[in-house]
Amino acid sequence: MPWIKILHIAMLLCWCAALLYLPALLLASARTRGEANFEVPAPALLRFLFTHVATPFALLAIMSGTALFLVGQLIGGWLVVKLAAVSGMVLCHVLCGALIVRLERNRRRFLLPASGLIAALAASLMLAVLVLVLSKPFA
């Protein structure tokens, strides 16, 4: 069980980092090339980070988290609320993918506010998960 917990925490940290980094890259890409003071990341780089970095970490975090509560037989109201917050993080992940597709198709309308909203929502959900896990009742 400790190895599953270590794997879960490591994968969750990597997924959360990617979930905050992708909207930041989307914000940078939403600006026109003339306004940016730095090199704007190409949509291909964003797609690579999404499909080959963020998504595998997300899947491993979810699978190891599922194994944790199956092996540890954890149940309770806090778990339902935590799973709802994790579902919100998954939604933010999917929305990042949708924004990357919009960027690839050169549809930049609403890209700037949407990526900022996703970053704020993802950060709030991460904080909610952390509070729920740290305040769960001990069995």
Side-chain angles (χ1 to χ4, degrees):
M1 177 114 154
W3 291 107
I4 299 172
K5 193 177 283 190
I6 290 169
L7 175 70
H8 180 62
I9 291 170
M11 295 301 105
L12 192 59
L13 282 172
C14 293
W15 180 34
C16 289
L19 203 52
L20 294 174
Y21 189 57
L22 282 171
L25 287 177
L26 282 163
L27 279 169
S29 297
R31 297 184 183 134
T32 60
R33 290 196 182 265
E35 295 175 2
N37 293 330
F38 53 90
E39 187 63 32
V40 178
L45 172 66
L46 286 167
R47 180 178 281 273
F48 176 82
L49 287 173
F50 181 79
T51 57
H52 292 89
V53 177
T55 301
F57 283 135
L59 293 173
L60 287 170
I62 291 168
M63 288 189 295
S64 60
T66 303
L68 264 178
F69 81 81
L70 288 177
V71 170
Q73 297 177 347
L74 301 172
I75 53 173
W78 69 272
L79 183 63
V80 175
V81 178
K82 178 189 166 270
L83 291 176
V86 171
S87 297
M89 288 171 58
V90 170
L91 178 65
C92 290
H93 185 92
V94 170
L95 289 174
C96 279
L99 289 179
I100 291 169
V101 170
R102 284 184 63 89
L103 183 66
E104 288 175 342
R105 294 181 180 164
N106 210 10
R107 295 185 188 161
R108 295 177 186 266
R109 187 174 179 189
F110 302 118
L111 196 62
L112 197 64
S115 50
L117 184 65
I118 289 172
L121 181 61
S124 300
L125 290 167
M126 288 174 209
L127 183 62
V129 167
L130 184 65
V131 167
L132 286 166
V133 168
L134 293 177
S135 66
K136 76 176 179 180
F138 292 101

